[in-house]
Amino acid sequence: MKTVKIILILGARPQIIKSAPLIQLAEKDRDVSMQIVHTGQHYDYEMSKQFFDELRLPDPIVNLNVGSGTHAWQTGKMMIQLEKLLLNEKPHMVVVPGDTNSALAGALAAVKLHIPIAHMEAGPRSYNMKIPEEVNRRLTDHISTLLFAPTENCCKNLLKEGIDKQSICLVGDTMYDSFLLHLSSASKDKVLDELNLKTEDYAVLTLHRPENVDFPEKLRKIMETMLKIKELVIVFPVHPRTMKAMKKAGFKKEALEKENIKLVKPMNYHGILKSMKDAKIVFTDSGGMQKEAFWLGTPCVTLRNETEWPETIDLGANALVGVNPKRILSEVQRILENKYIKKMLKEKPNPFGDGKASEKILNILKEFCSRS
Ligand code: UD1
């Protein structure tokens, strides 16, 4: 078999986690040369490099250092550099994971050069086009040659949009692959000791969606609701975007700490998994954490009005409450009153595959590239 040359384009934290098992498998495979291109969308150590180190990933061949900006500026700047790079490197295929601006920029640059694209995590939909990730994932799906869907529901969504059945591959969720690979090390992580937390005496909170954090009123509403939860300490690893918004909205770390809300830096992968595992509740607006909470058997309360992972709602593992204080607090009560909730959630069937999605993806990529 000839060596297949694949370029994987990533740039934001969740993309590193969902690509890690595939990158590691490709490293060991003599028939594949997989090169990572980092757009530089995320640039703080805690948002990027720490995951390359922790997940033992090879360095990207290049970092485009695009940094922060408006959507068009960020995406455009990535595309200009990616086009040049792809013309030079001439890969057989471009792989883009997830739904970030980096994924869309990679896919658009490749499709115009007639380079086949494989989209990892194809098919989730929130059906709200005001969410940037929804635009990114829809457009990426419609210009991809191979669509790797994590769940049956994602396949159905793609078929409904008229995407050719032949190009859709139901492989399972590569985030679940990563999760299984790291669960045992994560379980030994010392984050609880470091933060002085006791199992199930606390909740984890994360926020980063523009629709929540870019509006001081909304952010204030969320934080004021969290302050009302007296039964639990709230551990809040703060995304850089959210940190800026918190400062703007006038929240002070010390004042919140007195009220049992612990603001900490964005955690590494093992740290966040361990803290979610032993938490009573996960409050989040992240897509990935809704799934991770479910795999860990921790009830999730999603601070959004829609989700791209309805599977977790149907299984009773996740509740969509928006930023409505009444609904948030009544969910908290429901969870606190159910002693068996974690046990119950752990017994649910898992619609996200068997932990071998990355293996299947690599085999399909090799087969596809050696034919073309
Ligand atoms: C991005 C992705 C989102 C993903 C999230 C995970 C898009 C549209 N969104 O959102 O899908 O779930 O990453 O974190 O691609 N910033 C820093 N340091 C960093 C990174 C960001 O300070 O290392 C700040 C900048 O002020 C920037 C803001 O955060 O303007 C937002 O960053 P950006 O990459 O645009 O989007 P995220 O909100 O991180």
Side-chain angles (χ1 to χ4, degrees):
M1 193 189 262
K2 68 178 180 183
T3 302
V4 298
K5 181 168 172 175
I6 296 169
I7 288 196
L8 187 143
I9 299 170
L10 48 71
R13 176 172 62 179
Q15 294 182 296
I16 306 170
I17 295 167
K18 60 188 81 161
S19 308
L22 177 67
I23 296 170
Q24 271 154 352
L25 286 171
E27 279 267 290
K28 286 188 245 146
D29 193 318
R30 291 215 325 252
D31 300 326
V32 181
S33 153
M34 183 174 282
Q35 297 175 321
I36 309 170
V37 171
H38 197 309
T39 62
Q41 177 172 350
H42 283 175
Y43 43 86
D44 286 351
Y45 174 79
E46 289 84 11
M47 300 297 286
S48 174
K49 181 78 167 77
Q50 96 167 327
F51 297 98
F52 276 84
D53 295 345
E54 185 184 21
L55 306 177
R56 304 220 173 95
L57 299 178
D59 288 335
I61 53 163
V62 63
N63 188 321
L64 306 178
N65 289 318
V66 165
S68 307
T70 62
H71 286 276
W73 185 92
Q74 193 178 52
T75 313
K77 204 167 167 210
M78 288 174 193
M79 282 178 66
I80 293 166
Q81 296 192 65
L82 286 169
E83 179 179 65
K84 213 183 283 171
L85 184 138
L86 293 174
L87 279 168
N88 277 335
E89 294 291 337
K90 301 188 179 55
H92 293 107
M93 184 124 214
V94 160
V95 176
V96 291
D99 54 15
T100 65
N101 288 344
S102 299
L104 177 63
L108 279 173
V111 73
K112 302 265 180 160
L113 297 173
H114 307 167
I115 302 170
I117 303 156
H119 186 203
M120 279 166 65
E121 202 180 82
R125 294 290 182 267
S126 66
Y127 296 105
N128 179 351
M129 285 293 269
K130 289 204 170 129
I131 301 178
E133 289 79 3
E134 181 73 3
V135 179
N136 293 343
R137 63 172 82 94
R138 279 211 209 185
L139 297 185
T140 304
D141 281 338
H142 282 262
I143 53 176
S144 291
T145 315
L146 294 176
L147 291 93
F148 294 120
T151 66
E152 299 250 7
N153 187 53
C154 292
C155 292
K156 277 191 206 145
N157 294 340
L158 294 169
L159 290 171
K160 260 194 278 175
E161 288 172 21
I163 287 178
D164 181 6
K165 199 174 169 192
Q166 299 297 320
S167 56
I168 305 170
C169 319
L170 175 60
V171 289
D173 197 315
T174 64
M175 277 192 90
Y176 186 54
D177 301 1
S178 259
F179 169 81
L180 289 181
L181 286 170
H182 291 272
L183 180 60
S184 134
S185 314
S187 302
K188 294 179 208 124
D189 196 272
K190 297 274 175 268
V191 63
L192 263 58
D193 299 337
E194 283 157 22
L195 296 176
N196 203 11
L197 296 169
K198 287 198 195 74
T199 304
E200 295 200 30
D201 273 2
Y202 69 96
V204 173
L205 165 70
T206 77
L207 296 169
H208 77 276
R209 299 251 158 207
E211 74 259 27
N212 279 340
V213 305
D214 288 2
F215 302 92
E217 274 322 302
K218 262 192 166 175
L219 187 58
R220 220 167 273 135
K221 211 177 194 183
I222 297 173
M223 295 312 293
E224 276 159 14
T225 311
M226 292 295 135
L227 286 166
K228 290 198 181 122
I229 306 170
K230 301 291 178 203
E231 299 89 337
L232 300 166
V233 174
I234 311 281
V235 181
F236 184 13
V238 194
H239 185 288
R241 174 188 212 112
T242 313
M243 189 48 104
K244 285 180 202 159
M246 292 280 288
K247 284 184 184 150
K248 227 165 108 189
F251 285 105
K252 299 245 160 33
K253 186 174 159 60
E254 299 71 27
L256 288 170
E257 220 131 89
K258 276 194 200 129
E259 305 274 355
N260 271 350
I261 298 191
K262 283 180 193 275
L263 267 59
V264 296
K265 280 192 177 171
M267 291 183 188
N268 64 11
Y269 187 47
H270 292 171
I272 194 75
L273 286 183
K274 170 70 175 172
S275 29
M276 281 196 277
K277 179 174 184 283
D278 289 349
K280 192 84 190 168
I281 307 175
V282 170
F283 297 103
T284 192
D285 62 8
S286 145
M289 283 175 64
Q290 296 172 48
K291 295 183 286 182
E292 286 165 343
F294 165 62
W295 298 327
L296 289 162
T298 303
C300 185
V301 175
T302 296
L303 306 173
R304 289 173 57 193
N305 294 316
E306 61 277 296
T307 177
E308 40 292 304
W309 304 112
E311 296 88 345
T312 59
I313 307 279
D314 297 344
L315 289 161
N318 188 8
L320 276 181
V321 295
V323 293
N324 181 320
K326 252 200 189 143
R327 285 168 65 198
I328 299 174
L329 295 173
S330 87
E331 261 316 299
V332 171
Q333 277 321 308
R334 188 186 69 83
I335 294 166
L336 291 177
E337 279 162 17
N338 185 347
K339 274 204 298 203
Y340 304 108
I341 192 157
K342 283 200 158 200
K343 189 171 172 289
M344 231 174 64
L345 291 178
K346 279 186 187 137
E347 284 160 9
K348 299 278 182 188
N350 175 21
F352 295 95
D354 58 3
K356 299 210 176 338
S358 309
E359 208 176 298
K360 292 174 198 160
I361 290 176
L362 189 63
N363 287 335
I364 298 169
L365 290 176
K366 278 166 65 177
E367 159 81 24
F368 178 88
C369 291
S370 58
R371 269 193 283 123
S372 52

